[in-house]
Amino acid sequence: MSQGRLYIVATPIGNLEDITLRAIETLKKVDYIACEDTEHSLKLLNHYEIKKPLISYWSEKEKVRAEEIIEKIRSGHSVALITDAGTPGISDPGAVVIGRAIEEGIELIPIPGVTALITALSISGLPTEEFTFIGFLPVKQSQRKKKLLELSIEKRTLVFYEAPHRILQTLEDMLDVFGDRVCCVARELTKMFEEVLRGRLSEVIEKLENSKIAGEYVIIIEGAHETTQSFEEALIEVKDLMKKGKGRKEAVRIVAELYGLSKKELYEKSLKMDEIQ
């Protein structure tokens, strides 16, 4: 018996009509559909009258169910891998199953579709020639700020995902670390209550504080400017001088003069860097 195939099928991020004809055809022809949450996926499958045996591989089950999926494919069955929304493995479960299939030499066939990060980026008004997708930031604030500090010199447009209960705190952390950069925050994309907010981080935070917070969010932030990069390089120099025995004020004075930066702002940034680290 010949080996089956694994289809990586992108599903709508909200509006059920945002599915490709090829995705529908694939879901109808495979032997099994492996999904993140069977109850959630049934809404889509029932809408298109697709009835197939389902395998749930959510969270803790993924490693165990991955072996079950691989075994079915080895036995000649074809399996479609889907998540609750978007593309499997992209800030969603599915990476374990995909990794195991590659290890076993199983043929993977991608069935592309809509994705939240590209949808949001297309309407953000921010540069799209180059961008960096980070996905979800760490849950703990100290780790989140440390990650943001690492990203603060990135010149490309930055794209993040965030949950509703952390959106305000994350935006405030971004304002604290990045400064008041231009951003776009989108929620409930393609759904009934779709909302897109644009402006400076401080302005978007104020708007969110006065509106209903619900749904999944995409945050898009402008990249660092040349002066921002100079500050980050200068902070490294300050840290090195302090390690060599210089006091903070003296180290800041030397480096600020070298880079042509504000001593006050560099001093404040060096204190903030220590707080985060």
Side-chain angles (χ1 to χ4, degrees):
M1 182 181 292
S2 61
Q3 188 168 254
R5 295 169 166 180
L6 179 63
Y7 294 86
I8 312 305
V9 182
T11 54
I13 59 174
N15 192 315
L16 295 183
E17 293 182 4
D18 289 335
I19 189 169
T20 67
L21 295 174
R22 188 178 174 211
I24 295 171
E25 181 187 346
T26 300
L27 293 173
K28 285 182 175 180
K29 77 177 183 182
V30 294
D31 300 306
Y32 293 90
I33 297 174
C35 45
E36 182 181 353
D37 180 339
T38 53
E39 187 175 342
H40 185 96
S41 294
L42 278 172
K43 295 174 186 175
L44 173 69
L45 299 175
N46 289 338
H47 183 78
Y48 288 102
E49 299 181 347
I50 299 169
K51 299 188 184 299
K52 295 287 177 177
L54 304 181
I55 304 169
S56 171
Y57 67 92
W58 70 275
S59 192
E60 299 89 357
K61 290 182 181 179
E62 187 168 358
K63 284 187 179 179
V64 176
R65 291 296 167 85
E67 299 309 315
E68 181 183 335
I69 292 165
I70 296 300
E71 191 53 45
K72 290 190 182 300
I73 295 171
R74 277 194 193 131
S75 301
H77 298 292
S78 57
V79 178
L81 187 71
I82 64 174
T83 60
D84 289 350
T87 304
I90 309 299
S91 285
D92 261 336
V96 173
V97 179
I98 292 166
R100 284 290 295 118
I102 291 170
E103 286 173 6
E104 296 296 322
I106 291 167
E107 184 180 2
L108 273 71
I109 301 174
I111 311 295
V114 67
T115 178
L117 77 100
I118 298 299
T119 303
L121 195 58
S122 71
I123 57 171
S124 68
L126 288 162
T128 58
E129 294 83 3
E130 292 185 287
F131 63 90
T132 300
F133 174 60
I134 294 88
F136 288 97
L137 287 162
V139 173
K140 287 188 177 180
Q141 187 178 38
S142 59
Q143 294 175 0
R144 184 165 62 242
K145 279 194 162 187
K146 187 176 180 182
K147 181 66 177 177
L148 290 172
L149 187 62
E150 291 172 5
L151 293 165
S152 63
I153 60 171
E154 174 59 64
K155 292 181 180 180
R156 289 170 290 191
T157 300
L158 300 167
V159 186
F160 305 85
Y161 287 163
E162 193 51 278
H165 60 282
R166 283 194 302 270
I167 184 65
L168 276 173
Q169 184 61 65
T170 293
L171 289 173
E172 285 165 3
D173 289 343
M174 288 174 170
L175 177 61
D176 189 31
V177 176
F178 293 158
D180 207 6
R181 292 190 192 178
V182 174
C183 72
C184 172
V185 175
R187 75 176 182 99
E188 297 290 84
L189 287 167
T190 78
K191 300 177 185 177
M192 186 181 295
F193 299 107
E194 176 179 288
E195 182 179 27
V196 181
L197 303 174
R198 301 180 187 86
R200 296 278 174 183
L201 275 163
S202 60
E203 295 169 341
V204 170
I205 289 169
E206 186 178 353
K207 289 174 185 176
L208 276 172
E209 285 174 339
N210 296 306
S211 66
K212 182 180 180 181
I213 293 177
E216 297 298 318
Y217 287 81
V218 183
I219 305 168
I220 302 174
I221 306 275
E222 69 173 331
H225 295 265
E226 202 63 51
T227 52
T228 306
Q229 189 172 30
S230 296
F231 266 115
E232 299 309 322
E233 291 169 348
L235 285 169
I236 294 169
E237 297 280 359
V238 169
K239 192 174 181 180
D240 286 344
L241 285 175
M242 289 175 66
K243 281 180 180 178
K244 292 172 182 175
K246 294 283 186 186
R248 187 184 300 275
K249 285 186 178 180
E250 178 67 5
V252 166
R253 183 189 65 76
I254 293 169
V255 176
E257 289 176 1
L258 180 66
Y259 281 81
L261 300 171
S262 160
K263 284 186 283 187
K264 181 183 177 184
E265 192 171 354
L266 184 58
Y267 185 84
E268 290 173 353
K269 284 182 180 292
S270 74
L271 289 174
K272 188 177 294 182
M273 181 176 67
D274 286 352
E275 287 173 8
I276 294 171
Q277 294 176 340

